Amino acid sequence: MRGQRVAIITGAGSAHGIGFAAARLLGAGGCRVVITSTTDRIFERVAELRAAGVRAEGVVADLTDPAGVAAVVARTWGSFGGVDILVNNAGMTSVSGSYASGTVDTLSLDGWRASLDRNLTTTFLMTRAVAGPMQAAGYGRIVNVSSVSGPVAAYGGDVAYHAAKAGVVGLTRATAIDMAAAGITVNAVAPGWIDTSSASDYERVLGAATPVGRSGTADEVAHAIAFLADDGASYITGQLITVDGANSISEERGR
């Protein structure tokens, strides 16, 4: 990757999450990074990046709100003068709020809308905010963090999350077509069972049952993100890379 690229990575507040792992890896590769979360813990992550020699800024923002998106963009332009890479990782739960889930007959309309806003609208708003500048520059890498849940598989009791993450893949493909001629690639990664700080013991048991025999790590997902964000990935766009230890293709579950 050419040095001094500027990357925005959303949802990077957790020290052990995919967003911060991606920020560390991109920063180690020479990128200047702007990271976001919904709470002040993002400044702890900024301090860690700076201690490692990465030029980093942090923004506390609610990315379901266009004003929060504008704040992230303003900080990025004010600090680094533009953006080359966007990693849309914000979603799932946040430490500042509750997470509503349910089946199609039990989930409230408010819960449905909240999940779609958190997991899909954030990606739309951030992508929309950088699309014009990237097209004007003739360069861009957008990597969306989806999930195996929705695009390729499902579990019970969370229809909105599955719908939103499937929507991220649809948004990825449509945006890839729209922006391809401008030199911008748009791809997605679909993590499976990843052992982050938010993973439950039950999820770790399921990770141990994958063909690889363990859950994945945030760093392993980050390497897929960094590959798609690299200058050399210029002819890969509109694609979904599944990072799940072959779990979604195994026909011998429970053996």
Side-chain angles (χ1 to χ4, degrees), residues 6-248:
V6 177
I8 298 172
I9 304 99
T10 69
S14 171
H16 306 291
I18 292 168
F20 188 54
R24 282 198 311 264
L25 191 58
L26 291 172
C31 285
R32 296 165 288 172
V33 302
V34 175
I35 57 176
T36 79
S37 78
T38 57
T39 71
D40 287 346
R41 65 178 179 165
I42 199 65
F43 300 119
E44 298 172 11
R45 307 288 83 76
V46 168
E48 292 175 51
L49 290 170
R50 289 176 176 173
V54 178
R55 292 185 63 188
E57 299 288 340
V59 185
V60 177
D62 175 3
L63 300 183
T64 67
D65 183 348
V69 171
V72 174
V73 171
R75 176 65 64 82
T76 306
W77 261 255
S79 297
F80 301 128
V83 63
D84 304 292
I85 299 162
L86 170 63
V87 179
N88 282 308
N89 179 64
M92 291 192 69
T93 61
S94 73
V95 297
S96 61
S98 61
Y99 176 62
S101 60
T103 63
V104 71
D105 58 334
T106 63
L107 181 64
S108 70
L109 183 56
D110 285 345
W112 167 265
R113 287 171 172 162
S115 187
L116 263 63
D117 278 350
R118 183 183 300 111
N119 293 293
L120 178 56
T121 303
T122 53
T123 298
F124 166 73
L125 290 174
M126 284 299 304
T127 301
R128 184 176 69 173
V130 304
M134 282 184 174
Q135 289 178 94
Y139 181 90
R141 298 285 184 268
I142 299 173
V143 185
N144 299 324
V145 179
S146 179
S147 173
V148 295
S149 304
V152 298
Y155 55 82
D158 202 347
V159 293
Y161 178 77
H162 289 78
K165 287 301 188 181
V168 167
V169 177
L171 176 63
T172 297
R173 290 172 176 156
T175 308
I177 295 295
D178 290 341
M179 301 178 75
I184 300 161
T185 67
V186 189
N187 293 287
V189 296
W193 300 118
I194 306 300
D195 193 359
T196 65
S197 57
S198 64
S200 67
D201 289 341
Y202 176 67
E203 290 171 335
R204 294 184 179 98
V205 168
L206 294 174
T210 66
V212 172
R214 61 172 175 84
S215 296
T217 69
D219 285 336
E220 287 172 320
V221 182
H223 276 278
I225 292 170
F227 163 69
L228 293 170
D230 192 79
D231 288 355
S234 54
Y235 206 59
I236 302 169
T237 194
Q239 302 305 306
L240 176 68
I241 294 181
T242 302
V243 187
D244 75 340
N247 197 47
S248 60

